[in-house]
Amino acid sequence: KQVLVGTGVSVKAGGLNVTAGITTVQALQATTGTFSGDVDIADKIVHTGDTNTSLRFPAADTVSVETGGSEALRVDSNQRLLIGNDSNRQTRSADASISPNVQLESDSIAAMSITRFSDTTAPARFILQKGRGTGASPTVVQDGDHCGQILFSAWDGDTFSNSAEIRSEVDGTPGDDDMPGNLIFSTTNDGSNARTERMRITSEGKLLIGSSSTRNVSGSDSSGYLQLEGTSANSSSFTLINNQNTTQSPVIRFGKTRGTADGSVTTVANGDSLGKISFSGADGTDLENNTAQIKAEVNGTVSGDTVPTDLLFETSASSGNARETRMRILSNGNIGIGLGNPNFKLHVYGGNMRIAQPAGTDCTLDVQEATTTNPLRLSQTATEARIQNLSSLPFNIRSQAGTG
């Protein structure tokens, strides 16, 4: 039978054994309690002496925590953890709506901190993982699967729209302890809610800007580790700017060693190319036809800090296979046009040379020894051609034997 316990009744050591339930009209007080079954609560459990802090059951299949009279967090009927808001707020990935499993909102900080203290090199971790199948029976992912995504969104007046994204995809065929992956960075254009890929780091470590795949340029196996591709002059260009109150400028540097590991300083050898600027045009099939090139090449014995280097300018009238050196600047400063080993400061071989000026302007060539004050001048005006000895030296015309 049901037993009604009146006011002031206490139970001594040994306890009160109730098998059919207790009904009270006032509060039931005890120091400790052990329950072998369920405890039914209509609304909430309140902290004694702190009545605005409680554990509540505000709706079916919902649990919430209140502090200071306000709800701090809840687990809703869809088992989503909501912090700072009692209802789920959908966000978007492009036009698709997403209801996150964990939602954190705040009118002030809205931040999350993960800290690890340990006397090791081990860090705190934020881990995004992807598997196919189910949690109970996962299966291997496939090439192109998204492994993780960080979305950046802002309120557009009626919902959150994406402004940028960082994500990683499987970038190849995975296997046991083998997971090729990339990292992709995207932003959203003005007037759009669709993200556009701007940059990716491939599984090989190649950095692609403006393109999602590597391309061979200047050769069948010539794909660089930095690739910039666009649809305009601006989108396919890069700019270097130096803001410094000195004579220094921006620099593009090329370096070459004969070593086989990063950090090597193994000496280069005669004939080694130290750097190239290559020019290629699409021929309807690919971009592998390298028809012009500027190259720095070692020309001599390397020793100590001495690396004799020539600068070569190459062009082709047809294909990259027919590219020839048209001009070479030797390490001693001699310039050869049409030959590879010029003996003079300017040595032209295999063709004519002309010096010309626009109509109405005199065309002049001065020949002068460094210690003289005036040159020997060859010139042409609109009315005459002249050879003038402007120096005080005698003017002689000599034969090959040297007699005048």
Side-chain angles (χ1 to χ4, degrees):
K1 295 182 179 180
Q2 190 177 47
V3 178
L4 299 178
V5 179
T7 303
V9 176
S10 61
V11 179
K12 301 297 183 180
L16 174 64
N17 186 7
V18 180
T19 58
I22 298 176
T23 299
T24 68
V25 294
Q26 300 295 326
L28 175 64
Q29 297 181 355
T31 55
T32 61
T34 300
F35 302 90
S36 60
D38 296 339
V39 178
D40 295 334
I41 299 173
D43 185 6
K44 57 186 174 181
I45 301 173
V46 179
H47 184 206
T48 302
D50 183 17
T51 56
N52 61 1
T53 300
S54 62
L55 176 65
R56 292 197 58 208
F57 304 92
D61 302 320
T62 302
V63 180
S64 68
V65 175
E66 293 184 359
T67 61
S70 299
E71 181 171 306
L73 62 88
R74 75 165 53 193
V75 178
D76 69 7
S77 57
N78 290 303
Q79 297 186 346
R80 295 177 296 219
L81 175 61
L82 313 178
I83 303 173
N85 195 335
D86 61 5
S87 62
N88 173 259
R89 190 194 303 274
Q90 289 191 339
T91 187
R92 292 196 297 181
S93 175
D95 289 326
S97 295
I98 300 175
S99 295
N101 294 103
V102 179
Q103 174 182 296
L104 169 62
E105 293 190 5
S106 172
D107 290 338
S108 56
I109 299 175
M112 180 176 65
S113 176
I114 303 175
T115 305
R116 176 173 183 167
F117 298 98
S118 64
D119 293 328
T120 68
T121 59
R125 292 182 174 93
F126 181 74
I127 301 171
L128 303 177
Q129 299 184 139
K130 159 73 176 180
R132 291 201 170 213
T134 65
S137 181
T139 59
V140 66
V141 292
Q142 298 179 13
D143 183 23
D145 280 3
H146 294 194
C147 304
Q149 180 185 55
I150 301 175
L151 282 175
F152 303 85
S153 301
W155 190 255
D156 64 9
D158 63 0
T159 188
F160 281 103
S161 290
N162 305 142
S163 61
E165 171 202 29
I166 302 173
R167 78 173 186 270
S168 176
E169 297 178 353
V170 179
D171 192 20
T173 302
D176 187 27
D177 293 330
D178 175 17
M179 191 56 60
N182 58 32
L183 200 58
I184 300 170
F185 299 80
S186 302
T187 62
T188 302
N189 282 322
D190 187 20
S192 173
N193 70 346
R195 303 179 304 276
T196 301
E197 179 178 330
R198 308 300 185 183
M199 181 177 73
R200 83 167 47 198
I201 303 172
T202 70
S203 57
E204 298 175 283
K206 296 181 178 181
L207 177 61
L208 312 181
I209 301 175
S211 175
S212 60
S213 59
T214 57
R215 301 184 68 182
N216 290 327
V217 179
S218 299
S220 59
D221 59 350
S222 301
S223 59
Y225 270 68
L226 172 60
Q227 175 180 298
L228 171 62
E229 186 168 355
T231 56
S232 68
N234 285 337
S235 64
S236 56
S237 304
F238 70 90
T239 304
L240 303 178
I241 300 173
N242 179 9
N243 299 297
Q244 185 181 12
N245 189 21
T246 70
T247 59
Q248 298 298 313
S249 68
V251 179
I252 299 176
R253 293 186 172 92
F254 299 86
K256 158 73 177 177
T257 81
R258 284 217 163 200
T260 58
D262 291 346
S264 175
V265 290
T266 304
T267 304
V268 293
N270 183 40
D272 282 1
S273 175
L274 302 185
K276 298 178 183 178
I277 300 176
S278 178
F279 303 87
S280 300
D283 57 12
T285 302
D286 51 44
L287 274 168
E288 299 175 8
N289 201 2
N290 173 17
T291 54
Q293 187 168 268
I294 301 173
K295 177 173 65 173
E297 184 178 278
V298 178
N299 185 13
T301 302
V302 178
S303 63
D305 290 332
T306 301
V307 184
T309 303
D310 296 353
L311 197 60
L312 286 69
F313 297 79
E314 302 174 351
T315 63
S316 172
S318 56
S319 69
N321 294 328
R323 195 176 62 248
E324 296 181 14
T325 300
R326 307 300 185 181
M327 183 174 74
R328 177 188 288 258
I329 304 175
L330 296 185
S331 57
N332 62 11
N334 287 356
I335 301 173
I337 299 176
L339 75 165
N341 190 25
N343 297 316
F344 308 100
K345 285 300 176 184
L346 178 61
H347 195 162
V348 180
Y349 177 81
N352 298 320
M353 182 174 69
R354 171 178 291 184
I355 301 175
Q357 286 276 46
T361 303
D362 291 355
C363 185
T364 301
L365 173 64
D366 286 349
V367 180
Q368 183 175 358
E369 196 270 336
T371 60
T372 62
T373 56
N374 293 301
L376 172 68
R377 175 169 294 170
L378 306 179
S379 62
Q380 184 181 44
T381 68
T383 58
E384 65 176 346
R386 295 181 297 210
I387 299 178
Q388 297 173 277
N389 182 14
L390 302 179
S391 73
S392 59
L393 299 174
F395 179 73
N396 297 314
I397 299 177
R398 296 178 180 272
S399 67
Q400 184 177 6
T403 58

